[in-house]
């Protein structure tokens, strides 16, 4: 029966999630664990969202409204686009998967991305039988904007750009995104994964949504997991040309976004106070950690996200394991192909100070 399994699955390597609090408590015997590895919201969940989720608990026996039209309309109003340009998904990962299934022809088309990037792009390509072209980054791990355009050809279905980038935190401006979009061959879609878009400053320089009206091959991906603190709800969305959004809605399985998730998304958009406080805490924490890490001899990459990537002056594996023994989870970027680098997301003020204290001990 194993012969019935598609050849792409036989040697498929699944996504490897980060370590959990339970993993570290059990392995290292520490009571207090600080998780700074998964780029989650340092403030947790909005109190407004928590209240709404409690109110919706009694309604979960009902099916949700397919395609989440209320949330799509609210997002469209927020971003200044038409509602039929917004596709809400079970995390932005679902939108990535759907784009492959809708526009990439197996055995003919290719997708283009760059090294040391989010593994989901490569995984979806393999699952769908589509060629995955990975190009080198610029010197210093910069975003290879011009090289992305040159790597695309008449069979390129999707070109992926993550901005702000994971794991570096570097970001492309809206002007740079528009230039890349116009440089691509006809028929190629530029997909800008903006999971960390809310953290880029100033927004008027980095926000590409206003360019959607002039660029007919641009797709923007966003998530509620980071700035809105809803990682566990699995809620994301894509903003794209209306014709493409129509095909995605047509081809998807029904009810992928559950009723509590949609309610949480609507509530999160209304809680401006929580979002503003999140951005303040992240911005201040980013500045503080950047200064402290640099003072300890680390090579810190400037970031527009809610995390920092750095290269410690000593062995990164030893640093990573030393942090775990102290009950602090950071991300060793070995899985990104960067074994000499560490990624740490901003926590609360006390968590950030505990991290810096542990760094001083280790370095």
């Amino acid at each position: 029966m194993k012969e019935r399994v598609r050849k792409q699955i036989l040697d498929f390597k699944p996504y490897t999630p980060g370590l959990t609090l339970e993993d570290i408590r059990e392995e290292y015997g520490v009571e207090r664990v600080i998780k700074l590895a998964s780029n989650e919201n340092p403030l947790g969940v909005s109190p407004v969202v928590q209240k709404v989720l409690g109110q919706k608990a009694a309604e979960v026996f009902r099916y949700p409204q397919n395609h989440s039209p209320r949330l799509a309309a609210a997002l469209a109003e927020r971003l200044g686009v038409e509602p039929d340009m917004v596709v809400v998904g079970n995390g932005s990962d679902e939108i990535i998967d759907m784009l492959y299934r809708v526009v990439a022809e197996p055995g003919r088309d290719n997708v283009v991305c760059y090294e040391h990037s989010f593994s989901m792009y490569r995984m979806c390509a393999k699952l769908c039988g589509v060629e995955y072209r990975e190009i080198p980054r610029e010197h210093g791990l910069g975003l290879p904007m011009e090289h992305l355009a040159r790597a695309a050809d008449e069979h390129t279905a999707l070109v992926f750009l993550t901005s702000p980038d994971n794991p570096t935190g570097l970001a492309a401006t809206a002007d740079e995104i528009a230039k890349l979009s116009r440089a691509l061959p006809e028929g190629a879609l530029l997909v800008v994964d903006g999971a960390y878009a809310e953290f880029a400053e100033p927004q008027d320089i980095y926000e590409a949504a206003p360019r959607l009206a002039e660029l007919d091959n641009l797709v923007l991906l966003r998530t509620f997991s980071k700035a809105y603190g809803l990682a566990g709800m699995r809620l994301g969305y894509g903003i794209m040309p209306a014709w493409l959004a129509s095909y995605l809605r047509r081809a998807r399985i029904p009810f992928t976004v559950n009723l509590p998730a949609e309610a949480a998304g609507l509530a999160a958009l209304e809680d401006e106070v929580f979002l503003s406080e999140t951005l303040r805490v992240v911005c201040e924490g980013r500045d503080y950690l950047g200064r402290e890490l640099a003072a300890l001899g680390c090579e810190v990459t400037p970031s527009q996200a809610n995390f920092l990537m750095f290269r410690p002056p000593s062995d990164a594996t030893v640093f990573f394991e030393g942090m775990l023994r102290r009950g602090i989870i950071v991300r060793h970027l070995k899985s990104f192909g960067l074994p000499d680098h560490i990624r740490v997301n901003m926590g609360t003020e006390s968590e950030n100070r505990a991290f810096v204290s542990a760094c001083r001990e280790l370095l």
Side-chain angles (χ1 to χ4, degrees), residues 153-167:
D153 60 24
E154 68 273 17
H155 293 302
T156 299
L158 303 165
V159 175
F160 282 98
L161 170 70
T162 309
S163 180
D165 178 56
N166 181 19

Side-chain angles (χ1 to χ4, degrees), residues 266-306:
L266 287 165
L269 291 177
E270 293 177 1
D271 193 351
E272 297 284 357
V273 174
F274 181 81
L275 177 61
S276 177
E277 185 67 2
T278 294
L279 298 181
R280 181 192 69 79
V281 169
V282 166
C283 184
E284 292 180 0
R286 190 168 61 193
D287 291 343
Y288 168 67
L289 291 185
R291 289 194 307 270
E292 295 294 331
L293 286 168
L296 290 169
C298 297
E299 181 184 313
V300 184
T301 302
S303 174
Q304 289 286 354
N306 66 340

Side-chain angles (χ1 to χ4, degrees), residues 29-43:
V30 293
E31 290 188 10
R32 187 196 181 199
V33 180
I34 298 174
K35 186 181 180 185
L36 303 175
S38 298
N39 306 336
E40 294 158 339
N41 192 303
L43 302 183

